[in-house]
Amino acid sequence: MKKNVLVLVCDGLTYNSVCSTAKRKSPMPFVESLRGEGIWCTNAYSQAPFTEGGIMGLLYGHNTLDNGSYLYRMLEWEDSLFSVFEKEGYDLFESLSCSFMPSELIQKSKFSYNINGSNPMFSRFILSKLNYYKKIFDNKQLISDDYYQLFVLLDKHFRAMRLYRSDVSLKNDVTGEYQPYEESETFYSKVNSWKHEVENQYASFLNDKKMYIDSIFLNYDSHFITKKCNINAPGFKPEIIELRKHIKQSYSGFLKRVLKKSKNYYLKRNMPPLSYSFSQFKKIFLFKQHKQGIEYFYRMHRTIHKFDVSKMLDIECQQICTSAKAYVRMFMDWEKRRDKKSPFFAYLHFDEFHTPLSFYSHDISNKENADGELIRASEFVNKIPKNYCGDLRFDLAARYLDECIKEVVDYLRNTKQEKNTILVITADHGSSNCGGVIRHTLTNNFFDEQYHIPVLLLGVQKKEISSYIDIKDIPYTILDECGINKPHSFTGQNIRKSTKSNTFVEYLGSGVPDMLRRPVLWNYRDKEKSFVISVMLTQDISDSVVIEYYDLLKDPNELKNINKDISFEQIESCKLHFKKRFIELKANYSRWLNEQKNRVF
């Protein structure tokens, strides 16, 4: 009998948050208690500090920059875990309806939560990419290869918009109990009018793709693709609004206390050493790096004040994030209703660590549920020891996720499905905002906490893995344990067989992975050192520059970058690996681009 597979992804959860230390008790005691029941990895690493890149290995089983890079590959349905399990006859459930997931999920999945702010489907995703290419277009530097990539993005964007509110997508609607929105006749009318315009625009795009793209950039503020959609998301149901009024009246003092305490803890326990801060000031004043100085203070301020918990009471703020408990109960409701003739593959993606930081179920209209969650959160805050070191807001969200994960595990146990289910608990990436030192820069860096993630597999033979694990090993292991053939594009290995003493991560940074103009960043890490090299694919590998180098034995928090003392030629142990990957990636990208040129839309 085939095993069920349930993947629980806590977006932004770092490894250290799941492990208790002398200074900090884990806010996820239930997950921590499961570590001895399956495969537990102590050195698992993601491929990026952001979801778009990090999830590439998790769902597609290969490196972030393979097959045209994460930007284009993630829009494809084929050779994802979803398509593999569908071909094997599994029932599918997914809760990650974000803007960069394949539009086919709306059709293939039994559930799709397709409200995305005021714009249907891919709007935020496509705008951020077009903003990047608009500057290149204005400078008259847009080349034919850019147009081919834009063809891919816009074609996928149109396909997603056509599926929005379609018959097939509405068949996957959530049950009434966990649907917090209320739709009106005005909303329906706007949707129908907008969908008619989508069809006209898509026909225009197919008629002359290059002309259509040029028209976007020439009429950027008023074009259909770039102007704000006038549909607007449906309003919340009256019972949801009443629940939030109750929370505001009953718990506003507690929420403000959490913010105040969190600031104090962060400032007292998590500031970097004075020597580190002084070195930053020295650079600013001696080298007159005023722009960098402003950025330094801005980043420091943002780290401390990034999540104002009191703003969680703002209805508009929470519209973008479905609570973990709502997702868990939607899944359980779906699992109870399905006919059970086939095994299931379910993927639940929790956003509790994203803006706004959330540690209660703000979208379930049950007063008793909300009261219980906030009372337990208050008890957690009251029990924090004097030597606490961490981010209180992050830990409250982790505590809430722990509670939601326990509910799922209890359901599997109560329905006697635990032994026939492979349960994966992991993250797409870690976070700098989780109790480590306050970083003056939070993005595009290869700091340990942003990549080091928890990986726990239950329903398989027990084993603790201390060797280095890549996130792309997770889907490979799942299929291996299920006895399912892996797609040729999967380049991971079974976690159980791993013996690696180091890990390599590659990334271009957030936004558009433009490998024609942006340098590829490679990070090598072992127990003694961590370094990052930068090189353009249009250059030679010998032109690589070491931009970060940390001696982890002397500087475990990676505060002192000694890259000036190290050149690429001095890295003998890894040079061959980088050279091999450079040649491979260059050929891989050229092959993908040629495929797009020959593709018929």
Side-chain angles (χ1 to χ4, degrees):
M1 184 178 179
K2 292 181 179 178
K3 283 195 171 187
N4 301 317
V5 177
L6 175 57
V7 180
L8 306 179
V9 178
C10 305
D11 198 312
L13 179 64
T14 189
Y15 173 84
N16 290 333
S17 294
V18 188
C19 305
S20 295
T21 64
K23 289 187 177 181
R24 184 170 177 271
K25 188 176 180 180
S26 170
M28 304 185 80
F30 178 72
V31 172
E32 189 175 29
S33 73
L34 298 174
R35 287 170 49 179
E37 298 185 20
I39 294 178
W40 171 251
C41 304
T42 60
N43 279 302
Y45 281 79
S46 178
Q47 296 181 343
F50 294 101
T51 303
E52 281 187 28
I55 209 171
M56 189 72 257
L58 188 58
L59 290 180
Y60 290 81
H62 55 69
N63 295 314
T64 309
L65 301 181
D66 284 347
N67 301 310
S69 80
Y70 63 87
L71 173 58
Y72 309 100
R73 189 69 186 96
M74 284 201 65
L75 298 177
E76 300 290 340
W77 166 263
E78 289 302 316
D79 290 344
S80 65
L81 274 182
F82 297 111
S83 66
V84 173
F85 279 110
E86 184 206 32
K87 290 174 184 175
E88 292 291 323
Y90 279 62
D91 291 337
L92 303 180
F93 180 98
E94 65 87 25
S95 72
L96 182 58
S97 304
C98 55
S99 54
F100 48 82
M101 290 300 288
S103 54
E104 284 87 345
L105 281 175
I106 300 173
Q107 290 178 292
K108 307 287 187 181
S109 175
K110 294 290 190 278
F111 160 73
S112 183
Y113 196 72
N114 57 19
I115 299 297
N116 185 16
S118 60
N119 297 325
M121 298 310 295
F122 286 6
S123 298
R124 187 177 65 131
F125 167 82
I126 198 71
L127 282 177
S128 64
K129 314 316 174 195
L130 290 175
N131 286 339
Y132 175 84
Y133 283 109
K134 173 70 163 61
K135 297 174 184 177
I136 299 172
F137 178 87
D138 290 344
N139 291 329
K140 297 182 170 35
Q141 295 177 338
L142 208 64
I143 60 176
S144 59
D145 288 350
D146 296 320
Y147 279 103
Y148 289 121
Q149 296 177 74
L150 285 164
F151 294 162
V152 176
L153 294 178
L154 277 173
D155 188 66
K156 282 290 181 180
H157 182 49
F158 273 115
R159 292 185 190 186
M161 289 193 292
R162 295 178 82 200
L163 284 169
Y164 179 77
R165 306 297 299 183
S166 65
D167 290 342
V168 289
S169 66
L170 291 176
K171 286 179 182 177
N172 300 324
D173 207 0
V174 298
T175 57
E177 184 181 358
Y178 304 114
Q179 171 57 280
Y181 298 105
E182 191 169 62
E183 299 177 352
S184 64
E185 290 299 323
T186 302
F187 174 76
Y188 294 137
S189 176
K190 286 183 176 181
V191 168
N192 291 332
S193 175
W194 175 83
K195 285 184 73 65
H196 179 71
E197 182 64 19
V198 167
E199 293 299 327
N200 291 336
Q201 291 287 329
Y202 191 38
S204 178
F205 168 72
L206 293 176
N207 183 56
D208 192 327
K209 302 180 188 67
K210 184 178 183 301
M211 184 181 291
Y212 189 88
I213 289 172
D214 287 344
S215 71
I216 294 175
F217 293 136
L218 291 170
N219 306 281
Y220 204 66
D221 294 330
S222 59
H223 197 279
F224 173 79
I225 293 293
T226 53
K227 70 180 180 181
K228 184 173 181 178
C229 176
N230 64 356
I231 293 178
N232 298 321
F236 283 98
K237 292 177 178 178
E239 53 264 40
I240 296 291
I241 296 174
E242 285 301 313
L243 174 69
R244 296 187 180 187
K245 286 181 180 177
H246 164 69
I247 293 171
K248 188 169 186 178
Q249 292 171 356
S250 304
Y251 300 101
S252 60
F254 164 66
L255 295 175
K256 289 176 182 177
R257 183 162 64 96
V258 167
L259 179 62
K260 183 178 179 180
K261 273 180 168 287
S262 194
K263 286 180 184 177
N264 290 338
Y265 283 133
Y266 226 21
L267 287 169
K268 290 178 181 178
R269 315 274 189 217
N270 297 77
M271 287 294 286
L274 286 175
S275 58
Y276 176 68
S277 297
F278 180 75
S279 68
Q280 299 299 323
F281 292 130
K282 188 176 178 181
K283 289 179 184 177
I284 294 167
F285 294 113
L286 290 184
F287 300 100
K288 297 182 179 180
Q289 296 176 329
H290 302 299
K291 186 176 180 180
Q292 289 89 330
I294 293 172
E295 178 72 6
Y296 175 79
F297 288 111
Y298 169 73
R299 295 279 187 185
M300 293 282 281
H301 179 271
R302 193 183 78 165
T303 306
I304 300 169
H305 297 274
K306 187 175 182 182
F307 298 117
D308 185 344
V309 182
S310 61
K311 288 183 179 178
M312 293 170 60
L313 297 173
D314 183 346
I315 289 175
E316 294 302 317
C317 211
Q318 291 185 344
Q319 194 162 314
I320 61 172
C321 178
T322 303
S323 71
K325 186 161 288 187
Y327 276 151
V328 163
R329 293 189 175 176
M330 288 176 199
F331 161 71
M332 293 191 300
D333 180 65
W334 168 83
E335 209 287 317
K336 290 174 186 175
R337 288 185 286 110
R338 70 189 193 93
D339 59 21
K340 307 289 194 302
K341 292 180 181 179
S342 305
F344 68 76
F345 170 67
Y347 179 95
L348 277 66
H349 195 104
F350 304 132
D351 286 316
E352 264 51 40
F353 301 129
H354 276 221
T355 305
L357 201 70
S358 181
F359 51 83
Y360 63 94
S361 306
H362 54 81
D363 50 359
I364 294 180
S365 53
N366 185 311
K367 182 181 175 182
E368 290 182 2
N369 181 75
D371 285 339
E373 290 174 349
L374 287 163
I375 289 170
R376 289 189 292 276
S378 179
E379 291 171 350
F380 176 83
V381 172
N382 293 336
K383 291 179 181 178
I384 288 176
K386 292 182 179 180
N387 64 342
Y388 172 80
C389 180
D391 181 344
L392 181 55
R393 298 155 297 179
F394 189 98
D395 284 356
L396 278 168
R399 187 215 64 82
Y400 169 72
L401 280 176
D402 193 59
E403 186 177 280
C404 295
I405 291 171
K406 184 179 185 303
E407 189 167 350
V408 175
V409 175
D410 286 345
Y411 172 78
L412 294 175
R413 289 172 176 172
N414 293 336
T415 56
K416 302 189 186 306
Q417 298 185 81
E418 183 184 18
K419 292 183 179 179
N420 193 45
T421 301
I422 294 177
L423 174 63
V424 181
I425 301 172
T426 188
D428 53 349
H429 56 82
S431 171
S432 278
N433 218 40
C434 58
V437 295
I438 294 180
R439 302 286 186 188
H440 69 283
T441 175
L442 295 180
T443 58
N444 300 341
N445 292 79
F446 292 83
F447 296 126
D448 186 63
E449 68 269 21
Q450 289 179 301
Y451 291 82
H452 197 181
I453 60 172
V455 174
L456 174 64
L457 280 78
L458 302 177
V460 295
Q461 188 178 353
K462 301 176 185 179
K463 189 175 184 180
E464 181 170 304
I465 309 291
S466 59
S467 57
Y468 284 81
I469 301 299
D470 190 299
I471 198 171
K472 68 181 181 180
D473 298 332
I474 297 174
Y476 191 100
T477 304
I478 292 171
L479 295 181
D480 221 25
E481 296 292 331
C482 289
I484 297 174
N485 291 330
K486 277 73 64 181
H488 293 302
S489 58
F490 277 42
T491 58
Q493 64 175 327
N494 192 314
I495 290 172
R496 195 186 301 283
K497 299 176 182 177
S498 176
T499 57
K500 293 187 294 185
S501 59
N502 53 58
T503 187
F504 288 88
V505 175
E506 63 184 14
Y507 194 46
L508 272 83
S510 61
V512 177
D514 183 356
M515 289 192 273
L516 299 174
R517 299 179 181 87
R518 300 181 68 186
V520 176
L521 303 177
W522 276 302
N523 174 225
Y524 169 90
R525 180 181 295 276
D526 59 28
K527 293 181 179 180
E528 296 181 355
K529 58 188 175 297
S530 171
F531 60 83
V532 180
I533 70 167
S534 171
V535 64
M536 297 287 296
L537 281 186
T538 53
Q539 296 176 314
D540 186 80
I541 188 65
S542 60
D543 296 318
S544 298
V545 177
V546 178
I547 59 173
E548 294 180 37
Y549 196 102
Y550 302 99
D551 183 337
L552 300 181
L553 298 179
K554 297 179 180 178
D555 179 26
N557 286 324
E558 300 168 76
L559 295 174
K560 189 176 181 182
N561 181 5
I562 55 173
N563 64 307
K564 290 183 179 180
D565 302 326
I566 307 293
S567 69
F568 178 68
E569 293 303 319
Q570 291 175 281
I571 307 174
E572 292 294 338
S573 58
C574 313
K575 203 183 301 182
L576 288 177
H577 174 87
F578 285 124
K579 286 182 178 179
K580 181 181 177 181
R581 181 57 181 159
F582 180 81
I583 295 169
E584 181 182 66
L585 191 57
K586 204 167 185 174
N588 181 300
Y589 181 70
S590 297
R591 182 173 62 253
W592 177 84
L593 200 56
N594 286 329
E595 288 173 358
Q596 305 318 309
K597 294 177 182 179
N598 298 324
R599 185 174 177 181
V600 178
F601 289 95

